[in-house]
Amino acid sequence: MEAERGGAGLGLDQEGDLVRINFWCGGRILDGWLNVDGAHRNKDVRGPDLLHAVQFAPDGSIVNPLPLPDGCAEELQAIHAAEHVHQWELPFLIAEWHRLLKPGGLLVLELPDLHKFCHNILQGKMVGGKHPDQLGMWAAWGDPRGKDPWMTHKWGYTFKTLAPIVMAAGFEKPNEHPTRYHPAGREFRDLRLEARKPANG
């Protein structure tokens, strides 16, 4: 469903209950979270709580911000989302996440690590029982099997290149942590960045 700005019908009451946002959730629907995505692909399973396709202007700015109030979330996670937008769009998307989080709120990003997956490609690294491209070419360009444009990757990052973008959007003290999702790439392909919106901002 497409909600009106303000969050009516999404578990946000007039006094501003805080939520945890699972941004671009795909098929990863989490209980206790506000699951947000731009499409409901698998009609056989529960869809996102908020169906909202973010659109970007040519300069990268967001045309249609999420229909949720400022500071409504205590945590926002975007698992394998940042690589799906152009490099010039990502700063605006991170700024939108900053808007949604309360002061002191937590931002969690997981995505392919450019350095790791390039190493995997050069070394021909694979995981037993998995597609041979899962640790390399899929991390670079996305999984092509579904012929789904939403699955295309548009840029690559390391923690060192991503952290300054996150800080420029107003977050502080980004830290790198072990990843928790996508088990096949947990140690060998992906990165996890956590940062907080300043308590006074």
Side-chain angles (χ1 to χ4, degrees):
M1 61 183 167
E2 191 81 36
E4 297 178 357
R5 187 80 173 228
L10 294 173
L12 298 173
D13 66 17
Q14 294 181 351
E15 296 180 359
D17 286 345
L18 293 175
V19 298
R20 294 188 295 169
I21 297 174
N22 183 23
F23 184 84
W24 284 354
C25 58
R28 187 185 302 105
I29 304 297
L30 303 178
D31 292 333
W33 293 71
L34 178 63
N35 299 281
V36 179
D37 208 299
H40 183 193
R41 297 173 187 81
N42 186 352
K43 304 302 182 182
D44 295 329
V45 299
R46 173 185 160 195
D49 305 303
L50 172 59
L51 194 61
H52 182 85
V54 176
Q55 299 174 10
F56 297 91
D59 68 352
S61 59
I62 293 177
V63 175
N64 57 336
L66 269 71
L68 298 171
D70 297 355
C72 67
E74 58 184 333
E75 182 176 350
L76 185 151
Q77 68 170 20
I79 307 303
H80 286 256
E83 69 272 23
H84 289 273
V85 301
H86 292 294
Q87 182 201 33
W88 60 89
E89 296 169 340
L90 185 61
F92 292 97
L93 186 57
I94 296 177
E96 173 69 351
W97 297 337
H98 184 276
R99 177 186 74 81
L100 293 169
L101 283 165
K102 71 169 188 175
L106 178 65
L107 175 70
V108 176
L109 306 179
E110 289 193 14
L111 60 152
D113 184 308
L114 176 63
H115 181 268
K116 292 178 183 177
F117 70 70
C118 284
H119 176 80
N120 293 341
I121 292 171
L122 293 173
Q123 298 298 318
K125 190 175 185 64
M126 295 184 291
V127 174
K130 299 293 184 179
H131 191 284
D133 287 333
Q134 189 162 14
L135 294 186
M137 295 301 289
W138 288 6
W141 303 111
D143 181 352
R145 294 175 300 174
K147 300 180 181 179
D148 184 353
W150 287 80
M151 298 303 294
T152 301
H153 294 181
K154 298 178 179 178
W155 201 254
Y157 302 90
T158 64
F159 177 81
K160 288 184 178 180
T161 61
L162 182 60
I165 304 173
V166 171
M167 294 178 68
F171 290 93
E172 61 182 5
K173 298 179 180 178
N175 290 294
E176 189 170 11
H177 297 270
T179 61
R180 300 180 185 177
Y181 296 93
H182 288 223
R186 186 168 292 157
E187 297 180 34
F188 309 110
R189 185 193 64 195
D190 299 337
L191 69 90
R192 180 182 176 97
L193 181 150
E194 297 184 7
R196 288 193 179 273
K197 184 174 180 176
N200 60 357

